[in-house]
Amino acid sequence: MSKTHKTSSTSNLALLAAVMIPVAAAQADTFTYNLSGTEGASTYSQTVNGVTLSLLANPTEISNVYAFGIINSGPANGDLDLSAPGVLVSAFTFSFSSAVTIDSYNVGVIAGPSAGTFSLSASGSTTSSGNLLTSTGSHAVSGPFSIAANTVGTWTATIPSGTYTYPTIRSITVTTVPEPGEWATITAAGCGFAALLLRRRQQTR
């Protein structure tokens, strides 16, 4: 292979990469669900950027309140309240209308001693465990955790029984994940655009 041809091939590959990277990146969108309004509700949904998050409290966990916390729950009011089993919600299911990766979460308030973690699981997904509930603020999800569209996942808090601590989830941040069919469309569009640029480049030589 001549040096000129090798340089041309390298240049063409670089052009293709330059086209494909922004095309793929444009399909991924990162945004945040602020969970204000979950308190007192056994079901909850919120749509952000066209993607709907749905939550369903697990009534078998709760002896006195079939809901995500208690309305007017002091400083935790407006967040999603978690607890040891039998008090508030310690486990619930969730789903998204599009495939997403859960990147991070924000602990708003910890009422009581600092304790606990939570895990995420879903069919076909890698379990994310050991996510700390022991300090307020934003935390990255271990993993991160990806879940397919309309797949039911389980969020399970592990707080020692008899420990009267109530950490709250203020928000979660996710990134959309293109479905396989969308990737095929993205790739075809990117390759077609790259081919057009290459043809124009050759015509101007």
Side-chain angles (χ1 to χ4, degrees):
M1 180 184 293
S2 68
K3 183 176 180 180
T4 300
H5 182 70
K6 183 182 295 186
T7 300
S8 177
S9 296
T10 302
S11 177
N12 291 345
L13 288 173
L15 176 61
L16 179 59
V19 170
M20 290 303 297
I21 290 173
V23 168
Q27 302 303 309
D29 194 12
T30 299
F31 48 91
T32 298
Y33 292 91
N34 293 304
L35 299 179
S36 176
T38 55
E39 74 283 355
S42 58
T43 61
Y44 177 84
S45 65
Q46 182 184 154
T47 301
V48 180
N49 287 21
V51 180
T52 300
L53 163 66
S54 299
L55 308 180
L56 176 63
N58 183 352
T60 63
E61 288 281 353
I62 308 153
S63 60
N64 57 350
V65 179
Y66 292 85
F68 295 106
I70 304 171
I71 296 176
N72 298 321
S73 56
N77 187 34
D79 294 350
L80 189 156
D81 301 341
L82 300 173
S83 75
V87 185
L88 300 176
V89 167
S90 65
F92 59 90
T93 58
F94 63 93
S95 64
F96 295 88
S97 60
S98 296
V100 303
T101 295
I102 301 178
D103 302 314
S104 62
Y105 60 100
N106 184 284
V107 177
V109 172
I110 302 173
S114 176
T117 62
F118 72 85
S119 63
L120 302 170
S121 62
S123 176
S125 300
T126 301
T127 299
S128 172
S129 59
N131 296 292
L132 296 178
L133 294 169
T134 54
S135 61
T136 59
S138 295
H139 307 276
V141 170
S142 66
F145 178 82
S146 295
I147 183 169
N150 301 311
T151 296
V152 176
T154 302
W155 180 310
T156 305
T158 302
I159 297 172
S161 181
T163 301
Y164 295 99
T165 183
Y166 307 95
T168 74
I169 302 300
R170 181 154 295 171
S171 65
I172 59 173
T173 299
V174 307
T175 299
T176 54
V177 179
E179 299 285 357
E182 293 176 329
W183 276 117
T185 301
I186 292 168
T187 301
C191 288
F193 185 55
L196 178 62
L197 291 179
L198 289 172
R199 190 177 304 113
R200 289 181 176 176
R201 173 187 286 184
Q202 292 168 352
Q203 290 173 348
T204 58
R205 289 179 178 175

